Amino acid sequence: MIHLMCGKKTLLPYLLDRGYSVIDYVLISHFDQDHIGSILYLLEEIKVRNVIIGKQFEDSKNYQAFLEIVREKKIKVQLVEIGQRINIEKGLYFDVLWPNSKKVIRENNINNNSLVCKMVYQDFSVLFTGDIETIAENAMLEEYKNTNRLSSTILKVAHHGSKSSSTQQFLNMVKPKIALIGVRKK
C-alpha cells in the first residue's frame, strides 16, 4: 500500500506540477511490489507511450496487473533481454545487459533476472541494476569479462544496497564515480 501511496501522493503530483502530462518511456526493472506499485498507479493516471521490461521468467500478480493495464490503455510494451539496444533519441540509448534467457537464474528468480541496463549519453553513463544479487552479478562478471561494458559513471546500487549485492568484484568492474542507493524512510 505504501508504494501505491507514493505514486498517488508524490510521483504523480511531482510530474504534473512540472507540466508533464505524457511520459515517453517507463523502464521497469522487475515486478516486485517495491519496484512496480507506484508505476501501476502512474500507468492508470497519466498517458505513457512506451514501457520497457525485461523478459519474464516467472509470473506474478503484479505482472498480471501490469498486462491488464497496458492492454486497457493501449501502451506499447517492449520486452527486452541481453544484447539489445533501445534508442531513445540521437546520442541517447540503453544497452540491455541482463536478463539472459540462455542463462536464467532460478534462485530468487524475479530479483536475479531483473532488467539491468546501461544508459549512455555521450561520455556519460548510468548502470541500472534492479534487485540483482551476487549470483546475477557473478553471471554478469563472467558475461562481460575482458570488456568495459559494465563500466559506468553512475551506479544505481542493486537491491537497495543490501548485503546480497554489490560485491567488490562487481564494483571493481563498474568503477562508478557516484553510487546511488534507493531506500525509503522507515
Side-chain angles (χ1 to χ4, degrees):
M1 185 60 150
I2 191 163
H3 304 292
L4 174 63
M5 295 309 290
C6 178
K8 187 175 188 174
K9 295 197 179 260
T10 305
L11 185 56
L12 183 61
Y14 177 87
L15 292 170
L16 295 174
D17 184 58
R18 278 145 187 82
Y20 296 105
S21 58
V22 177
I23 298 173
D24 290 325
Y25 289 91
V26 169
L27 185 98
I28 299 173
S29 63
H30 63 296
F31 288 89
D32 273 350
Q33 184 62 27
D34 61 330
H35 287 256
I36 189 68
S38 292
I39 300 300
L40 292 176
Y41 176 79
L42 195 69
L43 293 173
E44 297 245 41
E45 299 298 323
I46 194 169
K47 179 158 179 57
V48 174
R49 291 190 174 123
N50 302 280
V51 177
I52 300 165
I53 63 172
K55 189 162 188 176
Q56 299 299 296
F57 305 106
E58 184 173 310
D59 201 4
S60 69
K61 288 181 184 176
N62 288 329
Y63 183 56
Q64 289 305 313
F66 165 78
L67 291 176
E68 188 175 313
I69 293 167
V70 298
R71 266 189 234 118
E72 178 186 314
K73 299 285 187 175
K74 296 179 176 47
I75 300 170
K76 182 181 173 189
V77 177
Q78 191 171 351
L79 190 64
V80 298
E81 71 172 309
I82 191 171
Q84 291 181 268
R85 177 169 285 178
I86 304 153
N87 291 301
I88 304 298
E89 60 186 49
K90 185 176 169 101
L92 174 62
Y93 60 88
F94 287 86
D95 278 337
V96 179
L97 304 177
W98 201 255
N100 185 343
S101 60
K102 294 179 182 162
K103 298 178 183 177
V104 175
I105 299 173
R106 298 291 173 206
E107 181 182 320
N108 203 354
N109 188 315
I110 290 176
N111 284 346
N112 283 312
N113 295 293
S114 289
L115 177 59
V116 176
C117 55
K118 182 176 174 177
M119 183 196 79
V120 179
Y121 178 70
Q122 297 174 358
D123 293 334
F124 174 81
S125 60
V126 181
L127 184 64
F128 295 95
T129 57
D131 274 355
I132 61 169
E133 298 173 336
T134 300
I135 190 168
E137 287 181 353
N138 288 340
M140 291 179 67
L141 288 172
E142 180 63 29
E143 184 73 35
Y144 299 109
K145 66 181 176 192
N146 305 320
T147 74
N148 66 350
R149 294 293 308 265
L150 295 176
S151 179
S152 297
T153 312
I154 296 177
L155 168 66
K156 194 295 289 173
V157 175
H159 212 180
H160 315 281
S162 74
K163 65 183 179 180
S164 67
S165 303
S166 304
T167 63
Q168 190 61 54
Q169 296 87 347
F170 191 76
L171 295 174
N172 289 346
M173 282 279 288
V174 178
K175 298 179 233 151
K177 293 180 181 171
I178 298 170
L180 303 173
I181 301 174
V183 295
R184 66 179 167 100
K185 219 187 325 185
K186 294 234 177 199

